[in-house]
Amino acid sequence: MSKPVILTGIRANNSLHIGNYFGALLPMVDMAQNKADEYQINLFIPDLHSLTADLDYANFQSVILNNLKMYVSAGLPLNKADVYIYRQSFIPAHSELTILLNSFIGMGELSRMTQYKEKSAKFHEDRIPVSLFSYPVLMAADILAYGASYIPVGDDQTQHLEFTRDVAIRINNLFGDIFVVPRPVKQQHALFMKDQGLRIKDLVDPSKKMSKSSESDKGTIFLNDKPEDAYTKIMASTTDSLGVINYDKASQPGISNLLEILSLVSKEPLDQIISSYQGQTSYGEFKKIVAAEVRDFLMKFQSSFDKIDEAEIYDKLKLSEIVMNQQANKTVYRLQKALGLRS
Ligand code: TYM
């Protein structure tokens, strides 16, 4: 029996931010450090997905390398056999599988995806990139190619996971056991010891998620921000006029977001953080505490980043990409046979 696969991808359109770090990267690193004997760990750069958003093409390779270095500074072990890091475009099976899946997926279901609706809204209808529309199909291919059961992602990607499960079940109903169906999202959260997916909010507009592609970078803490700049961003973050600290995402989204960030960077459980600060009335003092913790977190992270050996990363990529091509090609072949493309 092969091991169950845990898999996630993080686009490289920009440096990683703390939402990517706590929502996706850290759960993977924890698994890679502690569970690589029980699970196969796949962490990849969805470089083809990056093409769906604004991209500085000339610097794309260096952003990719930078993000890979961030994986390693976050603690990803490079010396374990069943931990793989790879680039999506180096495994052509992802693209092939996308084309094959396209015939079993409806335009309606893709146009109802929240991320598609949000991201397509800024384009004239004639110019909405087709890649934005088919983003979830490529994501399903990324997951199904390796038979992944667990996919640690932030809350914004839950809909894409449900879609992937639907597609896998649909194909299996038609052709027998072609794909491993990823576990229901609730079971996935249980494995990563969470009750739901994480969603860190933008510091300037806490009604939106923190994102790589925000118009201004004032609302986003990037892992390569200067620690002092991150301090300033927290101090300038939007709160509310109620004047009492409470964890209430609906009426105090800014303060609730800061409480969550403090819990994540200080590694103290959220309910403990809430009971320490609830009822306090100085937002300024509270922000200073959060800002100092974020600054310390970045200082530590960046000091390990500076020590990363790039050659070791390239060696690991090369090895991983050979194995990943073999695994993904097997899945594609199974579907090709079922579709009569191969005998
Ligand atoms: P990307 O690069 O947009 O996001 C990478 C991961 O970071 C999480 N994330 C957040 N988590 C909490 N709070 C936030 N503010 C926040 N912003 C981002 C995302 O949920 C994601 O887990 N579509 C994926 C990339 C992908 C993928 C895959 C993931 C492509 N193929 C296959 C898993 C499996 C994405 O959102 O990337």
Side-chain angles (χ1 to χ4, degrees):
M1 263 291 281
S2 47
K3 296 177 186 175
V5 178
I6 306 181
L7 172 149
T8 207
I10 307 176
R11 285 178 303 129
N13 293 67
N14 207 329
S15 176
L16 302 188
H17 56 70
I18 57 171
N20 304 138
Y21 179 86
F22 289 109
L25 182 54
L26 202 58
M28 274 314 263
V29 166
D30 280 348
M31 290 289 158
Q33 285 176 345
N34 304 315
K35 298 262 169 82
D37 295 339
E38 283 166 70
Y39 297 93
Q40 173 178 316
I41 311 285
N42 287 22
L43 179 54
F44 74 102
I45 303 257
D47 51 359
L48 296 171
H49 275 117
S50 294
L51 303 175
T52 60
D54 287 342
L55 190 59
D56 175 2
Y57 302 109
N59 282 319
F60 192 23
Q61 282 301 314
S62 70
V63 179
I64 289 174
L65 175 62
N66 215 49
N67 286 11
L68 288 165
K69 285 171 74 177
M70 288 185 170
Y71 295 179
V72 182
S73 358
L76 186 78
L78 294 179
N79 58 355
K80 292 201 177 178
D82 260 337
V83 174
Y84 299 99
I85 53 168
Y86 54 99
R87 295 155 292 182
Q88 185 184 43
S89 74
F90 282 67
I91 324 284
H94 292 232
S95 307
E96 182 68 18
L97 196 49
T98 302
I99 299 280
L100 300 179
L101 292 177
N102 273 343
S103 291
F104 300 89
I105 289 163
M107 306 262 288
E109 53 187 337
L110 290 182
S111 46
R112 281 194 295 276
M113 291 285 157
T114 309
Q115 182 176 290
Y116 173 70
K117 286 199 268 188
E118 281 171 10
K119 294 200 172 169
S120 60
K122 66 171 189 181
F123 294 94
H124 180 279
E125 204 188 351
D126 266 8
R127 286 286 174 269
I128 299 172
V130 174
S131 59
L132 203 55
F133 186 64
S134 65
Y135 185 113
V137 188
L138 178 57
M139 182 159 163
D142 297 337
I143 295 169
L144 300 177
Y146 304 94
S149 300
Y150 298 98
I151 301 101
V153 283
D155 189 37
D156 59 312
Q157 296 300 309
T158 304
Q159 200 179 29
H160 292 162
L161 286 189
E162 302 284 11
F163 169 78
T164 303
R165 278 175 47 77
D166 286 352
V167 171
I169 293 168
R170 192 177 307 168
I171 298 279
N172 286 354
N173 283 341
L174 287 169
F175 303 107
D177 276 346
I178 304 289
F179 294 130
V180 173
V181 180
R183 293 297 172 92
V185 175
K186 265 211 159 137
Q187 282 183 26
Q188 305 202 17
H189 291 153
L191 180 77
F192 302 114
M193 289 184 289
K194 294 195 227 160
D195 41 4
Q196 57 180 33
L198 181 72
R199 186 176 299 219
I200 297 193
K201 301 293 190 180
D202 186 272
L203 298 172
V204 177
D205 177 357
S207 68
K208 296 190 315 192
K209 69 166 183 171
M210 184 177 282
S211 149
K212 300 189 192 46
S213 40
S214 298
E215 279 121 52
S216 111
D217 63 8
K218 292 199 177 81
T220 306
I221 305 274
F222 290 102
L223 295 176
N224 63 353
D225 271 348
K226 288 200 186 96
E228 277 313 318
D229 292 350
Y231 188 98
T232 310
K233 286 182 188 179
I234 299 280
M235 292 307 292
S237 62
T238 304
T239 50
D240 55 67
S241 53
L242 295 175
V244 183
I245 294 176
N246 252 315
Y247 185 69
D248 178 345
K249 287 185 176 186
S251 58
Q252 297 187 265
I255 284 289
S256 305
N257 193 36
L258 292 181
L259 286 164
E260 286 189 19
I261 292 174
L262 180 58
S263 151
L264 291 165
V265 292
S266 68
K267 295 191 184 131
E268 264 193 64
L270 182 61
D271 29 348
Q272 226 159 287
I273 293 283
I274 295 172
S275 62
S276 304
Y277 295 97
Q278 203 161 30
Q280 292 191 12
T281 51
S282 170
Y283 285 180
E285 286 309 307
F286 173 60
K287 279 183 173 178
K288 276 190 205 161
I289 292 166
V290 183
E293 285 283 348
V294 168
R295 183 179 55 198
D296 284 358
F297 164 78
L298 288 183
M299 277 170 16
K300 276 188 212 129
F301 181 83
Q302 291 170 8
S303 105
S304 81
F305 182 91
D306 292 336
K307 297 182 195 120
I308 304 297
D309 177 2
E310 293 177 5
E312 247 181 81
I313 293 187
Y314 280 115
D315 286 349
K316 182 73 180 179
L317 283 176
K318 250 193 243 158
L319 280 176
S320 299
E321 283 162 2
I322 292 171
V323 181
M324 294 296 98
N325 267 302
Q326 289 165 349
Q327 291 192 0
N329 285 343
K330 275 192 194 155
T331 311
V332 171
Y333 182 61
R334 250 194 335 268
L335 184 58
Q336 285 173 326
K337 267 175 76 174
L339 299 178
L341 291 165
R342 297 287 184 276
S343 52

